[in-house]
């Protein structure tokens, strides 16, 4: 983060330089335009075929010379040199703040090009394009790179389109989707979030009356679960009337369609992926996210491991430590080691996901089970061992 801030400071300096040079040259240009206009007005006072007086000719010649020198200065002189210097400072700042060479820890580029990995890589790219909703680009990629067997995952593309519309402030597509799956979403905050967004949109576009009518129709269903949020949404309507003045800070995010849309889009993707059992990230996006998180730590540890014996122990397909990918990381593991028995999972002793979401090995599960009952060792949730599901890493 410090690195980003460091670069940002230098970038800000460069941008302010651009702005001041821009202001300066705009002033100079305007000044020249004014002078030219002035001379033109002077001359057109006389009839078209009248000869210019010697004084007028001199005036025009002088002006032409000034215009020429000033524009020449602007296009070649110190202007460009100064701009170039500030821009190249930003480049140097990036080099200084970030590690440029990850070659010692990153997989060799050739490993993506062999006959086994290249098709996997191409499939991942095509799948990612489809999941982003970029069907045209995906189709072009698939046909030009001659890729076979890519699933054209339209479901995700549809979700992406709904999320994009939400981010633009339009909840209608997402509401349609949520209504079709209302019975599966009754425990989810999504329907209320979408209806709230729609009510506030109506207030902006058709007036508070239309919003209240909509709220009366839709909100009662959600009143019990979202009482406070619902009260806030109704109060926020008071600031949608003409001449209401600025809203207090607690209502501001409700009245900002972009902020509300971004929040709803994020929730929509999370809930829809959960419902459809889709990973929120495509395999490619997941790998890039995991890679970006792990690289700095990996680089750090690699630079400290200088002894040849230690380097020899560095495996190509397994990370030397556990990496926390955060909440949005999607829970990718290079290996699974049972947190109870401290053993690496194997085919005979695979990882099992308990009903609460915690994962332990099958041996640990068998040891902890008391007949038809099992108490999760991490959270106190009681469940049946039969409810645990085996997890496959591929
Ligand atoms: Zn648990």
């Amino acid at each position: 983060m410090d690195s980003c801030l460091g670069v940002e400071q230098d970038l800000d300096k460069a941008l302010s330089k651009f702005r001041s040079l821009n202001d300066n040259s705009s002033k100079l240009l305007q000044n020249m335009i004014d002078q030219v206009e002035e001379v033109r007005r002077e001359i057109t006072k006389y009839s078209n075929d009248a000869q210019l007086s010697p004084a007028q000719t001199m005036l025009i010649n002088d002006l032409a010379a000034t215009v020429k020198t000033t524009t020449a200065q602007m296009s070649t002189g110190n202007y460009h040199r100064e701009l170039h210097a500030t821009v190249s400072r930003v480049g140097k700042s990036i080099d200084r703040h970030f590690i440029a060479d990850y070659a010692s820890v990153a997989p060799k580029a050739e490993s993506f090009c062999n006959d086994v990995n290249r098709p996997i890589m191409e499939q991942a790219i095509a799948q990612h394009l489809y999941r982003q909703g970029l069907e045209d680009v995906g189709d072009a990629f698939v046909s030009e790179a001659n890729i076979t067997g890519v699933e054209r995952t339209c479901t995700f593309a549809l979700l992406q389109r709904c999320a994009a519309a939400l981010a633009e402030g339009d909840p209608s597509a997402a509401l349609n989707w949520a209504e079709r799956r209302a019975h599966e979403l009754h425990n989810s905050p999504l329907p209320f979030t979408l209806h709230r967004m729609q009510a506030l949109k109506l207030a902006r576009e058709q007036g508070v009356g239309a919003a209240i009518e909509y709220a009366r129709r839709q909100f009662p269903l959600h009143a019990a679960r979202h009482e406070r949020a619902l009260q806030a949404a109704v109060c926020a309507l008071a600031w949608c009337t003409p001449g209401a003045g600025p809203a207090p800070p607690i209502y501001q995010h409700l009245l900002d369609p972009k902020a509300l849309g971004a929040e709803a889009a994020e929730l929509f993707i999370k809930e829809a992926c959960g419902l459809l059992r889709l990973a929120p990230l495509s395999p490619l996006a997941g790998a890039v996210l995991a890679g970006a998180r792990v690289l700095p730590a990996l680089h750090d540890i690699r630079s400290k491991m200088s002894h040849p014996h230690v380097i020899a122990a560095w495996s190509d397909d397994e990370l030397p430590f556990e990496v926390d990918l955060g909440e949005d990381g999607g829970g990718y593991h290079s290996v699974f080691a049972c947190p109870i028995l401290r053993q690496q999972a194997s085919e005979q002793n695979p990882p099992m996901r308990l009903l609460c979401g915690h994962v332990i090995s099958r041996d640990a599960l068998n040891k902890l089970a008391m007949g038809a009952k099992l108490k999760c060792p991490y959270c106190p949730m009681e469940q049946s061992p039969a409810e645990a599901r085996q997890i496959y890493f591929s």
Side-chain angles (χ1 to χ4, degrees), residues 163 165-169 197 256-268:
L166 279 174
E168 289 296 314
M197 196 172 156
D256 177 357
K258 285 262 166 208
L260 211 58
E263 192 187 318
E266 199 178 308
L267 180 70
F268 177 78

Side-chain angles (χ1 to χ4, degrees), residues 63 138 157 172 211-212 229 233 263 270 280 343 364 387:
L63 184 60
S172 51
I212 290 175
E263 192 187 318
K270 192 172 149 232
Q343 284 168 353
E387 286 170 311

